[in-house]
Amino acid sequence: MIRIKEKLQTAIAGDTGRKNKHNRDEWLAATLASIPAGSRILDAGAGELQYQRLCRHLEYVSQDFAQYDGSGDAAGLQTGAWDGSQVDIVCDITAVPEPDCSFDAVMCIEVLEHVPNPISALREFGRLLRPGGELVITTPVCSLTHFAPHYFYNGYSRYFYQTHLAVAGFTVTEITPNGNFFESIAQEVIRIEEVAARYSFRPGIFRRGLDYWSTLAVIRRLRALSSLDRGSGELLSHGLHVRAQRTSGG
């Protein structure tokens, strides 16, 4: 019965609210492919090296603080299992033991919300990059608590990057929202059952009766509004995709 309802939801609402990671991965794949072959890239906060596969044409170096174990403090969303044993450099992201100007590119994907001092991290990226080198960042605009206690910021706005990247010696070349307001709301509506099962009432009750059908109706409405979107990503989106170039004078 559950599978039938899930198939029906997909047929009616499509992938509305489910494209956050897909959008990010597609953007990142295209962005990394544009970096010249042989370039030396640092994957800052690499974790389980999930994006190493996109860097086969590059000289890939990974960094992480390697203190997250999958269970964290058991609050919010946790992965359960986590293996960071393959990281090349274990250190604080604000003090990477590599020489100045030693990388052609730095990527930092869904990491800065877990960094106590993100502005210091941006300055460190500026130190590590050669003049003209590229910085690639993604972060949420608004996120649920995850990887706690290593979770310090709910999200970032374009104004954070426009302000602090300039100070760190970068010229911003792209800030693109991932999704829009309607997609972001749909993502959280889809999560209602999971959150309710943990924090409100017993698992399974949400799938019965009006709860399920009213939620499906909301997602369907959000899908229609998203298809007509005219820039609501400036208000809210899943996250931001950012590219910046290290200036010679930074």
Side-chain angles (χ1 to χ4, degrees), residues 7-71:
K7 288 180 179 179
L8 183 59
Q9 177 171 314
T10 300
I12 294 175
D15 55 2
T16 305
R18 303 176 188 273
K19 296 182 288 188
N20 184 351
K21 186 177 186 302
H22 171 78
N23 292 345
R24 181 169 62 247
D25 288 356
E26 279 202 337
W27 177 86
L28 184 60
T31 298
L32 293 176
S34 72
I35 297 175
S39 297
R40 189 169 191 245
I41 187 169
L42 177 68
D43 187 354
E48 295 187 307
L49 316 188
Q50 65 170 311
Y51 295 115
Q52 184 178 23
R53 60 188 171 80
L54 301 178
C55 299
R56 294 190 180 97
H57 64 301
L58 306 172
E59 183 185 341
Y60 176 86
V61 179
S62 58
Q63 175 278 333
D64 200 89
F65 80 146
Q67 294 180 27
Y68 181 63
D69 62 3
S71 58

Side-chain angles (χ1 to χ4, degrees), residues 1-248:
M1 184 63 175
I2 289 176
R3 288 186 177 181
I4 293 174
K5 287 185 176 181
E6 288 175 346
K7 288 180 179 179
L8 183 59
Q9 177 171 314
T10 300
I12 294 175
D15 55 2
T16 305
R18 303 176 188 273
K19 296 182 288 188
N20 184 351
K21 186 177 186 302
H22 171 78
N23 292 345
R24 181 169 62 247
D25 288 356
E26 279 202 337
W27 177 86
L28 184 60
T31 298
L32 293 176
S34 72
I35 297 175
S39 297
R40 189 169 191 245
I41 187 169
L42 177 68
D43 187 354
E48 295 187 307
L49 316 188
Q50 65 170 311
Y51 295 115
Q52 184 178 23
R53 60 188 171 80
L54 301 178
C55 299
R56 294 190 180 97
H57 64 301
L58 306 172
E59 183 185 341
Y60 176 86
V61 179
S62 58
Q63 175 278 333
D64 200 89
F65 80 146
Q67 294 180 27
Y68 181 63
D69 62 3
S71 58
D73 63 1
L77 304 178
Q78 305 286 350
T79 62
W82 190 262
D83 179 13
S85 63
Q86 303 303 310
V87 172
D88 297 314
I89 303 171
V90 176
C91 68
D92 190 287
I93 199 170
T94 65
V96 179
E98 288 281 323
D100 293 359
C101 305
S102 55
F103 290 93
D104 302 298
V106 172
M107 67 175 180
C108 185
I109 308 304
E110 304 298 289
V111 172
L112 289 183
E113 68 268 32
H114 306 291
V115 176
N117 300 298
I119 297 172
S120 296
L122 296 183
R123 287 199 295 265
E124 180 69 348
F125 299 157
R127 181 188 73 81
L128 291 167
L129 278 168
R130 62 167 178 79
E134 183 161 19
L135 178 61
V136 178
I137 297 177
T138 74
T139 47
V141 168
C142 182
S143 61
L144 301 183
T145 299
H146 60 289
F147 288 29
H150 311 291
Y151 178 76
F152 304 100
Y153 300 91
N154 182 260
Y156 293 87
S157 76
R158 65 172 52 246
Y159 306 105
F160 171 85
Y161 292 114
Q162 290 170 348
T163 299
H164 296 294
L165 283 175
V167 173
F170 290 93
T171 297
V172 175
T173 58
E174 177 186 352
I175 301 179
T176 302
N178 175 1
N180 56 45
F181 172 87
F182 307 107
E183 289 283 344
S184 299
I185 297 301
Q187 175 178 267
E188 302 315 316
V189 170
I190 289 169
R191 285 172 166 160
I192 288 175
E193 180 181 7
E194 178 185 353
V195 174
R198 178 172 178 180
Y199 294 101
S200 184
F201 44 65
R202 67 183 183 275
I205 193 171
F206 178 81
R207 290 190 179 274
R208 296 196 292 271
L210 292 178
D211 283 343
Y212 176 84
W213 295 109
S214 60
T215 300
L216 186 57
V218 170
I219 297 172
R220 186 178 184 182
R221 176 62 172 156
L222 289 167
R223 178 190 186 185
L225 292 170
S226 182
S227 70
L228 301 171
D229 183 70
R230 297 194 303 271
S232 68
E234 70 180 18
L235 183 66
L236 178 66
S237 64
H238 296 308
L240 295 178
H241 300 160
V242 181
R243 298 176 75 170
Q245 188 174 54
R246 179 70 162 92
T247 57
S248 58

